[in-house]
Amino acid sequence: MRFASIIPLIGGATLAMQNVLQRKPEYILSYEDFKANDKHLVDYYERKVPYYLYGDNGLPYLPNVEVINTVCPCAGLSSLSPTASGDAAVNDWMLTSANLVLGTLKPDVFWGENAPGLASNIGKPVVEKLRKIARERGYTFSIYKTKSVFHGLGQIRNRTFYFFWKGDKVPRFEYIKREHEKIEDTIRSVKHKPNDPMNVPANEETPSKNPYYRYVLEEMCGGITHKEFQDTKITRSQNAMDYIEWNGGNYKDVSKWMHSQGYTKLAERCLKMHDKLSQGGNIMRKLCHFPKGTIGAFVGHMPKNLTHPDEDRYLTIRECMSIMKLPDDFTLQGGAKNLNHICQNVPVTTAEDMAEHVQKFVDGRLNNQMIDTDFLIQDNTNHKLKFEKNSVQLDAFMV
């Protein structure tokens, strides 16, 4: 079985397909807009996998493949984006790639990952367009909703995968829920190799020097170390401000301490935060974050603010990549300035579960799990199927 990738970004889904099929992609196809993101994967393959940018010159000769995967931009439907909308222009990349792949390359399966919003009301306009493309090209369309924690990762993050299946039916996947690795164990598992350029900190500051964390360690916890705090004071992931608020602290007292330590501006800010919270408002809490059990989405400020569970430091780039299960010889081109490219990705091991089902479909091993419909949403979080048959919407719970 052969596969290729289009718009792979840093390459989580591509590497998942490689791990499952035990072979590299036949080629990588992308667009000029994503050249910087693709560079990590292209260079990882040492440019031995053909890489093409689709543009005015059309397509080169491409070998036939059974499967093509993608990780189109998801900001258009992301709950983390303030401009998320079913009509957002960035969603057009899903449509553009689907038209090209299904209309010209015609694999047995074309699949990708996108924001959870694709399976909700905000994503309906996009889904209807994708379904139309599928019908016109002889494919069915399905969505699989899940969470990374169900796939063995220490992340509580919703994930949504979408699939185009050649034919007139949709395969039903297995429901997946395996024991997850603790996030602190994921970080600890990284073996730093000599001369690894990724053994550099994502954030060169020292967590315990953060004024809020200093207050926690010195005033609230009696002068303990970072490791002692991690081992004895928390039972779940949180940041220093969470700890203050969850353990009886208040920002008036923090303000007094800030003044005594010479943090005048922070002291004034603490009073403003106290007033805002007392009036029912909210405040920003983007600072050192301590890993315990699971974390939320590894995006935004998290890669630069997640601390090591044992050492008083922030994570290295290699440790950040380990959270997304990228290979231990993978290089983030450009270093810390491109840290966000790690986040614009799907964890390799989560995508492997999808790739295994795709392989089974192509091999014919899902023939007894085919549903007579051209559209299906399968929810791995509640074991619910939503599909249409003869234009009638049906719901079913499956154990």
Side-chain angles (χ1 to χ4, degrees):
M1 188 184 302
R2 300 189 298 177
F3 81 102
S5 300
I6 183 171
I7 313 180
L9 299 187
I10 199 171
T14 303
L15 293 166
M17 284 294 298
Q18 175 180 319
N19 292 346
V20 169
L21 299 183
Q22 291 297 294
R23 64 184 300 160
K24 294 177 182 177
E26 300 302 309
Y27 60 85
I28 296 170
L29 181 63
S30 195
Y31 298 82
E32 187 70 33
D33 301 58
F34 306 107
K35 189 174 180 179
N37 300 75
D38 301 334
K39 180 174 172 58
H40 310 288
L41 183 64
V42 173
D43 285 2
Y44 177 69
Y45 286 136
E46 298 178 333
R47 301 188 176 271
K48 294 177 182 177
V49 173
Y51 177 61
Y52 306 103
L53 293 177
Y54 182 60
D56 294 336
N57 295 327
L59 284 173
Y61 167 78
L62 299 173
N64 291 329
V65 294
E66 287 81 10
V67 180
I68 297 178
N69 66 271
T70 186
V71 182
C72 283
C74 65
L77 297 175
S78 174
S79 60
L80 301 174
S81 171
T83 59
S85 165
D87 297 321
V90 70
N91 297 327
D92 290 346
W93 285 111
M94 278 190 282
L95 309 177
T96 298
S97 59
N99 270 312
L100 175 60
V101 171
L102 305 185
T104 303
L105 303 176
K106 303 180 180 179
D108 293 336
V109 185
F110 175 43
W111 70 282
E113 190 265 354
N114 209 263
L118 185 66
S120 67
N121 286 334
I122 194 175
K124 281 185 176 180
V126 181
V127 169
E128 288 304 314
K129 293 174 184 176
L130 293 172
R131 290 180 64 185
K132 184 174 184 292
I133 294 171
R135 285 193 301 269
E136 292 174 348
R137 303 292 192 269
Y139 289 79
T140 59
F141 182 72
S142 70
I143 292 173
Y144 190 84
K145 296 173 59 179
T146 189
K147 296 177 182 288
S148 285
V149 70
F150 292 157
H151 302 266
L153 276 75
Q155 294 182 49
I156 306 293
R157 184 178 182 182
N158 293 324
R159 294 283 179 181
T160 298
F161 295 88
Y162 64 99
F163 304 83
F164 296 92
W165 311 96
K166 185 178 285 186
D168 57 5
K169 295 181 180 180
V170 174
R172 177 172 60 85
F173 283 19
E174 297 172 0
Y175 291 107
I176 301 166
K177 187 176 182 180
R178 62 177 61 93
E179 185 176 353
H180 69 81
E181 181 180 49
K182 292 180 180 179
I183 187 63
E184 60 269 34
D185 290 340
T186 300
I187 296 168
R188 289 176 177 135
S189 70
V190 175
K191 307 300 181 186
H192 290 295
K193 300 175 182 177
N195 303 316
D196 180 359
M198 299 294 97
N199 286 347
V200 295
N203 181 345
E204 294 185 353
E205 296 179 2
T206 302
S208 64
K209 292 183 179 179
N210 176 280
Y212 294 97
Y213 191 26
R214 270 194 64 199
Y215 177 82
V216 169
L217 294 176
E218 297 174 17
E219 290 295 302
M220 297 185 73
C221 298
I224 63 175
T225 66
H226 170 71
K227 179 171 173 51
E228 289 171 331
F229 176 79
Q230 175 81 33
D231 290 345
T232 66
K233 295 298 183 179
I234 59 173
T235 58
R236 58 171 169 156
S237 292
Q238 57 198 265
N239 64 46
M241 292 171 72
D242 291 331
Y243 187 86
I244 292 170
E245 295 172 34
W246 296 349
N247 291 275
N250 70 79
Y251 289 110
K252 277 191 174 181
D253 290 340
V254 179
S255 177
K256 293 176 183 177
W257 182 88
M258 291 286 186
H259 266 300
S260 72
Q261 299 297 315
Y263 300 119
T264 305
K265 289 184 178 180
L266 285 180
E268 295 172 355
R269 175 170 170 73
C270 284
L271 291 178
K272 291 180 181 178
M273 290 193 298
H274 177 83
D275 291 342
K276 192 169 185 179
L277 288 174
S278 65
Q279 295 168 12
N282 204 353
I283 58 175
M284 193 76 73
R285 300 177 178 85
K286 293 183 179 180
L287 72 165
C288 44
H289 200 98
F290 319 114
K292 195 82 165 187
T294 60
I295 57 172
F298 192 64
V299 298
H301 72 286
M302 187 69 79
K304 284 195 172 184
N305 285 273
L306 196 62
T307 65
H308 192 278
D310 304 317
E311 303 171 27
D312 187 12
R313 63 173 176 82
Y314 294 100
L315 301 187
T316 64
I317 296 176
R318 176 66 63 208
E319 289 162 344
C320 289
M321 290 195 290
S322 76
I323 291 174
M324 300 302 285
K325 297 300 180 182
L326 288 163
D328 60 9
D329 59 347
F330 198 91
T331 298
L332 182 72
Q333 302 297 327
K337 73 176 184 179
N338 286 328
L339 200 62
N340 193 49
H341 288 187
I342 299 173
C343 308
Q344 298 167 353
N345 188 24
V346 55
V348 174
T349 50
T350 306
E352 282 176 8
D353 286 332
M354 305 300 111
E356 287 175 0
H357 281 84
V358 167
Q359 182 188 39
K360 290 176 182 177
F361 171 84
V362 177
D363 283 346
R365 288 181 280 152
L366 292 185
N367 288 348
N368 63 344
Q369 295 176 225
M370 303 299 290
I371 298 176
D372 186 13
T373 181
D374 69 352
F375 176 57
L376 167 71
I377 297 178
Q378 184 171 353
D379 194 332
N380 190 44
T381 66
N382 61 16
H383 290 199
K384 190 173 183 179
L385 299 175
K386 179 180 289 187
F387 60 99
E388 294 179 3
K389 190 170 183 178
N390 299 325
S391 299
V392 177
Q393 183 170 297
L394 303 172
D395 292 324
F397 285 96
M398 305 293 289
V399 178

